[in-house]
Every structure is written in structure tokens, then in C-alpha cells.
Amino acid sequence: MSTTSLPTPDRAAELRTALLSAGFTADGVLELLGAPAYAALARSETVPALRATRSRGTGPLASLVRLFLLQQPEPYAAAAQALPVEAALADGWLRREEAADGGGTVRATVDIRPYGGPDGEDWFIVSDLGCAVGGAGGIGSREEGVVLGVGGASTTLAGITVRIPVAEALDLGTGSGIQALHAAGHATRVTATDVNPRALDITRLTLALSGAPEPELLLGSLFEPVGEATYDLIVSNPPFVISPGARLTYRDGGMGGDDLCRTLVQQAGAHLNPGGYAQFLGNWQHVEGEDWRDRLRSWVPRGCDAWIVQRDVQDVTQYAELWLRDAGDHRTAPAEYAQRYEDWLDEFEARKTKAVGFGWITLRRSDAAEPSIVIEEWPHTVEQPLGDAVLAHFARQDYLREHDDAALLDGRFVLVDEVVQEQVGPPGAEDPEHVVLRQNRGMRRATTVDTVGAGFAGVCDGSLTAGRILDAIAQLVQEDPVLLRDRTPEAIRMLVEQGFLEPVADR
């Protein structure tokens, strides 16, 4: 584990003021570097950004970018123009490097990355040097205990999390504190846990430097640190990688196969208040002779509704290569790389694992007699943030659970905004082969409907009941209205469940 000492947060407010005064924000850095160099940082490439800081001025912002994003030495005098350098040295944010001429340079001891909050907040995410950007191999240390910063997984989880006011929120496996920082914006009290004490210290720095209240920080694995406490919101970007051993704390859970994710999901139900949400990222095994959906369905705790979305699937060779490269193992001796690759494949073979899925898991404590469990595969592009879409999904499940076919036909619906209709068929044909309804927001779903379904959706404006609309359609197409009423509720349920139609209040 890394033993490098960390800064103290005592004067974080003073440092924050200096960073903001210099324009060291997400927008300010983008403007300084330009879009290509800014995007290159996310690919672990620092050369374009370094060139940009040299060619676009030598002011305080360029100094801060070199210090905290690119981990370059900066002349003491230049650093002093950008921030209270003596205080930063005393508190451990910087360290001094003496020079023969007496001038000397300073270096950052941690990575500080500007991060834009959902409502325009200027936040800062602290992480270990070289551990704030993703990509194969990274740009720095991959010691066992290092703490990573902003990455695709963390921003994905932040985007899908429901953002409603809550009393108690738990960030389990907080890492650098990104989820705790988001939760601080809508939770009265935030608790953050981690098995790595260094992660708790860095979370404290992240929230202090971002001007957020310090959360309750607890050391330990899974739910052990919180005892029997319950929460309105639980979020976790856990160490979900399925690997042969617990080599890297930030990614390897130390349990066999997907047991860590399974345990996390199964235990979450007992820690949710009624109506509370738990949201996780996870990996799961695709095992020979087993439907992966059945595997995940068995994880859902009693009393909880669930919405599980598989976003990606990789065969075992792709998966092993991804995480070997994530740790930079492809840059080590070939024999060592090959042996680790063999170890991964041995692990998968022993567990009869043919592929690994990645996705999102959302639980809601409903205590319903017949819980709603939706497990689906959706690898297509979505529009983040999706927190409101998650809330809407469970609201639709409640509606469908409470309305039988007769009640459904007596209900009124509206076609949601941003849905378009596409007709598919050969050119010049009198009638399309099929009609596709497509969402341009949220999950961006597409579904095929027949001409009756398309006509029904097109006239749903909340003024007529579904039954009356079907009666009118039956007359137009010269079909028995009773038969049409009998066979259409299933299609209406599908359109409601997938978010194309929205129920309106009874009138």
C-alpha cells in the first residue's frame, strides 16, 4: 500500500479560493487547453495538454494545470502567483525541490481535478498522483492501495443516481469521494465507508476542497462499518472486477467470482428505509448452462423492486486483457504478463464462466407483495443524467402493478415528449412493413409496433380513455371492438413500461 503522506484539510477553504480565483475549473481548464488536448487527458495522454500550457500563456491557470493535472514541477515564483504556496507547502499539498541557484521548484503531492457539479458547482476531486484518468495503463502508479479519481464508472453511477432530498445517504466504498460529494447536495447526512483508510482521508480532502460538509467516515468492508443502520439512498461503485485474487484494492473485491457484487446487493435490502433506493455498478458471470438473468434475479433481496440493466458483455479473454492493461501489466516482462493471463483464464475455467456482464443495479424498498423485477440488456447509447428516468421507471411499475386490464383500458395516457415515429418498408409501398417508435431522451429506446399500436400512441393526449381510443380505431379498421380491447392491453403495458406512454391522473 502507498505510504506517501497526504495533505491536511485545515486550510482547504483558502486553497479553494485561490484555485477558483485562477479559473482552475472544468470550464476554465477546457478553455485553456482546447477540446483536443482536454479530451486527450481522458485517454491518459498528457503531451497535448502540456504543449497547450506552454503555448497559451504562463499565468496562474497554466501553472495550476501543470502542477495538479500533469504532475510537472513548477518554479516556486510561478506557483506563488497562483496560490498561497507557503500554506500549501506547510499543509502538504505541495513539496519543495531545491535548486542549485536557490530558486527551486515545487511539485504537487496529490492530483486535484476540477469537476463540474450537476447544478454548475465548481468541485475538485482529489486522488493519488497519476490516478485520476482512465485508459489502458494509466499515467502513473498502480500500487495496491492507491486511490483513483474521476473515471467513466464513477461518472456513470453519479449520472444514474436518483437526486431527491433524503435524510440519510451512504456511499459504500467511497474511493476519492465522488459519490459522497454528489450526495452532500441533496442528503441531510452522508456516511462514506471504505476498506482503505487512505480513501477515507482523500474523501475528506475532496469534500473540504469542494466546499461540502465533511461526511461521517467509517473504515470497513461492505455493510460491516454501519452495523444495522438504514438509509434512504445507498450508492456504491464497488471493487467489482472478477479476478484471481485481491491484488488491487481499488478494483478487486477479494471474493471469488462475482460474490462481492452478489453480497452487496443481497445485503442492501436490510439497510434501506421504506421507499429508499440502492444503486450499484457491477460485474456478473455468464456461466455455462445458466441464464444470466436468473443469476441476477436470485440476488434481489426480499421486499425490493429491482431494475437491472446489462450494458456490456465481454468474453473471458477480452475481460482479462482489459484489466491486465488497466493495471499496466502489458508493460511488464512478457513472462509475467502471460502468467497472469493464464491465472485469469484458469479462474474462469474453474467457475465455468464464458463471459462477464457489466451494468447497473437499482433496488427500491417497496415491501410489495409482488415485487417488480426488470432485468434487461440495453447496450445502446443513453442520455445522462438518468436519475429522473430511474424514478419514472419505478413509478410506471407501481402503476402497472395496481391496474389490471380493465383499469388500464379505463385509463388515460399521453405520448411522452421527444418520441418520433419511423415507418419501415420498401420504397413506394402503400403500407409500411412495420412502425418503430423511438425515444430521443433518457434510455433512447426503440420498439416496433403494429399499425394499431402506432395509431393508438399517436392520439394519446390524455383527453380520451384507452378504451374509447380503441373503439374509434376498431371502427376505422373495421375490426370487432371487443376483440381489439381484448388483445391490446398487453401492447399498452409494454408502451407504458418502456416509457413511451405516461399515465395521467384520473379526471
Side-chain angles (χ1 to χ4, degrees):
M1 181 172 292
S2 175
T3 57
T4 305
S5 60
L6 290 170
T8 64
D10 299 342
R11 286 181 282 188
E14 183 179 349
L15 179 58
R16 172 178 170 80
T17 298
L19 298 178
L20 294 177
S21 297
F24 190 61
T25 64
D27 289 341
V29 172
L30 173 60
E31 183 177 354
L32 173 70
L33 300 183
Y38 191 83
L41 277 178
R43 302 192 301 270
S44 305
E45 298 292 348
T46 59
V47 172
L50 187 58
R51 287 172 59 89
T53 64
R54 292 197 301 257
S55 63
R56 300 188 180 202
T58 57
L61 179 55
S63 292
L64 293 173
V65 169
R66 284 190 291 269
L67 275 171
F68 293 116
L69 296 187
L70 306 180
Q71 284 91 58
Q72 296 293 311
E74 190 72 2
Y76 178 97
Q81 296 296 314
L83 73 169
V85 69
E86 286 300 325
L89 285 165
D91 290 350
W93 298 95
L94 301 176
R95 61 182 174 85
R96 188 190 297 268
E97 293 182 331
E98 298 293 348
D101 61 6
T105 60
V106 295
R107 282 184 179 269
T109 60
V110 290
D111 186 299
I112 299 176
R113 191 151 302 248
Y115 182 80
D119 296 315
E121 303 95 338
D122 289 315
W123 290 340
F124 299 98
I125 309 300
V126 180
S127 64
D128 276 310
L129 294 175
C131 296
V133 292
I139 63 171
S141 171
R142 283 296 181 266
E143 295 179 62
E144 188 270 342
V146 296
V147 178
L148 271 61
V150 181
S154 53
T155 55
T156 293
L157 178 59
I160 68 172
T161 300
V162 298
R163 299 298 176 195
I164 54 178
V166 296
E168 300 277 351
L170 170 65
D171 176 13
L172 192 152
T174 187
S176 58
I178 300 168
Q179 311 307 326
L181 180 57
H182 277 278
H186 62 105
T188 302
R189 179 181 172 88
V190 177
T191 299
T193 71
D194 208 287
V195 297
N196 184 358
R198 187 174 182 83
L200 299 180
D201 291 336
I202 284 185
T203 291
R204 181 181 289 109
L205 296 176
T206 288
L207 271 71
L209 201 56
S210 298
E214 181 172 316
E216 179 186 28
L217 300 170
L218 301 175
L219 181 67
S221 177
L222 295 175
F223 290 100
E224 181 272 330
V226 303
E228 298 181 359
T230 57
Y231 300 88
D232 306 300
L233 174 66
I234 301 171
V235 292
S236 182
N237 176 18
F240 52 68
V241 176
I242 300 171
S243 60
R247 177 179 164 212
L248 300 172
T249 301
Y250 69 85
R251 70 170 202 193
D252 302 321
M255 296 186 183
D258 52 17
D259 283 356
L260 184 135
C261 288
R262 174 185 57 80
T263 303
L264 176 62
V265 174
Q266 289 180 336
Q267 293 182 355
H271 294 275
L272 281 176
N273 291 324
Y277 287 86
Q279 298 188 267
F280 316 115
L281 301 184
N283 277 179
W284 41 82
Q285 298 169 174
H286 285 224
V287 179
E288 293 180 14
E290 177 185 84
D291 189 318
W292 66 271
R293 293 175 179 84
D294 292 338
R295 184 180 192 84
L296 291 175
R297 188 172 286 108
S298 72
W299 292 6
V300 178
R302 185 183 302 274
C304 287
D305 298 327
W307 183 23
I308 301 174
V309 182
Q310 181 167 273
R311 295 286 291 155
D312 189 24
V313 180
Q314 292 184 316
D315 67 48
V316 292
T317 60
Q318 292 174 313
Y319 188 82
E321 291 163 13
L322 169 67
W323 294 109
L324 287 168
R325 289 177 175 271
D326 171 80
D329 290 339
H330 60 305
R331 297 179 178 176
T332 62
E336 185 179 353
Y337 175 83
Q339 184 56 58
R340 285 178 174 160
Y341 203 148
E342 288 274 8
D343 292 343
W344 283 68
L345 296 184
D346 286 345
E347 175 80 3
F348 287 132
E349 184 176 351
R351 295 181 178 277
K352 298 182 178 180
T353 302
K354 59 183 180 179
V356 177
F358 167 82
W360 317 326
I361 299 175
T362 299
L363 306 176
R364 182 188 59 163
R365 172 83 181 276
S366 67
D367 295 318
E370 297 182 5
S372 164
I373 300 177
V374 176
I375 303 174
E376 61 176 318
E377 186 166 16
W378 189 254
H380 310 293
T381 301
V382 299
E383 182 189 46
Q384 288 274 36
L386 281 169
D388 288 345
V390 172
L391 291 171
H393 167 87
F394 286 100
R396 294 193 299 267
Q397 296 304 312
D398 288 342
Y399 178 88
L400 293 173
R401 186 162 46 200
E402 296 164 1
H403 289 72
D404 60 17
D405 287 355
L408 205 65
L409 292 175
D410 198 38
R412 295 175 170 83
F413 305 91
V414 294
L415 187 67
V416 301
D417 294 336
E418 303 292 336
V419 172
V420 298
Q421 176 178 303
E422 301 171 359
Q423 298 189 160
V424 181
E430 182 175 347
D431 296 311
E433 290 182 353
H434 59 269
V435 178
V436 175
L437 298 181
R438 188 179 302 278
Q439 301 168 352
N440 286 326
R441 305 295 300 273
M443 291 293 287
R444 292 180 172 169
R445 297 186 186 276
T447 190
T448 301
V449 294
D450 60 17
T451 53
V452 171
F456 176 86
V459 297
C460 280
D461 62 2
S463 61
L464 298 175
T465 66
R468 290 188 62 186
I469 293 174
L470 290 177
D471 291 343
I473 291 176
Q475 186 174 2
L476 285 173
V477 299
Q478 297 182 338
E479 186 172 338
D480 186 336
V482 175
L483 294 178
L484 191 61
R485 278 175 171 253
D486 284 345
R487 68 177 175 85
T488 305
E490 183 179 354
I492 297 174
R493 285 186 181 277
M494 181 274 293
L495 291 174
V496 172
E497 181 176 28
Q498 295 193 4
F500 291 93
L501 295 179
E502 183 176 282
V504 299
D506 293 335
R507 298 180 181 179

